[in-house]
């Protein structure tokens, strides 16, 4: 930990959960090749057809519940226990199920529900439906607690402070296509941090170092190298 925050900040994307069987978004068979994100991942899409949006997230929630964390999630939980901060774009709970306790979910969580009327959040049921009532205000509409395109990600102040205060910024399994997450590497570089990308292939981001390979192979090796065991 530096005097202001974690020495190491890790940003994860869909690639860290790919080997757990959860789809990515922009790879060959990615989610956005099968669904129109405007219809299922925007406030306008939800307003136009809430049943379709609930069906999309009910299916993703079911897949996430059936998936198991992989060795990358486990290694990152150990790195978090050693003081690193995990910021994730992912909405699955595989980091937590691998033992991570303080993960910052900047795009929300599949396993949480949100009341669009009063802002209350609660553990999502397996199946959310149009007409579900908010347990706090009794109103609604109730929606998945997911940050949609056009909405502001969660915890941005905390993330900015950590990214600008860290000594090492590591992006794992993310294409770097979506802002503000895609801009974190430049923020970290500008603040003097070293930067590392771990991915199947190099993305367009300006990283000092790259480790290429499947996350469940290369992340444990990298973490063991850092933790010295
Ligand atoms: N190991 C490591 N990296 C992998 C693996 C793997 N086994 N499989 C895929 N990848 C990499 C791909 O090379 C790609 O760079 O994971 C990345 C997945 O990119 P995207 O599908 O764009 O996912 P992500 O970067 O998380 O998307 C960011 O976009 O749609 C929004 O909100 C959504 O959080 C998501 C955001």
């Amino acid at each position: 930990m530096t005097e202001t925050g974690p020495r190491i900040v890790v940003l994860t994307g869909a690639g860290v959960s790919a080997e757990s069987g959860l789809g990515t978004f922009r790879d060959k068979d990615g989610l956005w090749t099968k669904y129109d994100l405007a219809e299922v991942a925007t406030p306008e899409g939800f307003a136009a057809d809430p049943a379709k949006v609930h069906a999309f997230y009910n299916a993703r929630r079911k897949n996430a519940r059936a998936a198991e964390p992989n060795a990358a999630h486990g290694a990152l939980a150990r790195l978090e226990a050693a003081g690193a901060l995990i910021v994730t774009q992912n909405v699955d709970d595989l980091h937590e199920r691998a033992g991570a306790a303080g993960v910052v979910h900047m795009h929300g969580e599949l396993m949480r529900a949100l009341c669009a009327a009063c802002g209350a959040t609660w553990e999502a049921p397996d199946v959310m439906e149009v007409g579900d009532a908010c347990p706090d205000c009794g109103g609604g509409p109730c929606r998945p607690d997911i940050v949609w395109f056009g909405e502001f990600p969660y915890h941005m102040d905390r993330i900015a402070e950590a990214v600008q205060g860290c000594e090492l910024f590591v992006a794992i399994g993310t294409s770097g296509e979506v802002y503000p997450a895609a801009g974190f590497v430049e923020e970290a570089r500008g603040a003097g941090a070293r930067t590392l990308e771990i991915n199947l292939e190099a993305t367009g981001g300006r990283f000092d170092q790259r480790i290429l390979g499947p996350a469940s192979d290369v992340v444990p090796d990298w973490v063991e190298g850092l933790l010295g065991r």
Side-chain angles (χ1 to χ4, degrees):
M1 304 284 267
T2 59
E3 67 285 349
T4 53
R7 196 173 61 80
I8 298 175
V9 172
V10 177
L11 169 71
T12 62
V16 84
S17 296
E19 291 160 85
S20 295
L22 297 185
T24 62
F25 294 95
R26 295 173 186 82
D27 286 331
K28 189 168 49 62
D29 299 326
L31 272 172
W32 299 146
T33 66
K34 298 174 188 144
Y35 294 89
D36 176 352
L37 70 83
E39 290 181 4
V40 294
T42 63
E44 296 77 14
F46 183 65
D49 190 343
K52 173 186 283 189
V53 175
H54 278 309
F56 175 69
Y57 286 99
N58 289 340
R60 290 185 64 195
R61 190 174 303 111
K62 184 170 178 233
N63 291 342
R65 287 202 200 286
E68 291 300 326
N70 64 61
H73 295 106
L76 290 174
R78 288 192 294 280
L79 188 63
E80 182 199 64
L85 176 69
I86 300 173
V87 177
T88 189
Q89 300 171 90
N90 299 342
V91 294
D92 62 62
D93 61 348
L94 297 183
H95 281 303
E96 287 81 1
R97 286 166 52 200
V103 178
V104 178
H105 281 271
M106 64 182 288
H107 288 167
E109 298 175 70
L110 264 181
M111 307 309 171
R112 302 279 306 164
L114 167 70
C115 175
C118 74
T121 65
W122 61 96
E123 188 173 336
D126 287 345
V127 176
M128 291 189 74
E129 293 175 314
V130 176
D132 287 350
C134 167
D136 273 34
C137 74
C142 301
R143 53 175 275 189
D145 188 15
I146 300 282
V147 177
W148 284 327
F149 287 93
E151 296 183 324
F152 205 72
Y154 288 149
H155 312 299
M156 285 306 293
D157 291 344
R158 179 176 174 204
I159 295 168
E161 187 179 350
V163 166
Q164 288 159 24
C166 69
E167 292 171 12
L168 175 62
F169 174 78
V170 190
I172 302 177
T174 180
S175 60
E177 299 272 328
V178 175
Y179 284 80
F184 293 166
V185 59
E186 285 305 318
E187 278 183 56
R189 287 173 66 88
R194 285 181 295 115
T195 58
L196 164 66
E197 175 169 61
I198 299 179
N199 199 307
L200 285 180
E201 59 196 12
T203 67
R206 284 199 312 157
F207 291 88
D208 301 319
Q209 187 194 357
R210 285 192 164 90
I211 300 174
L212 300 186
S216 67
D217 283 350
V218 298
V219 173
D221 289 347
W222 170 67
V223 169
E224 302 330 311
L226 275 185
L227 299 182
R229 56 177 180 275

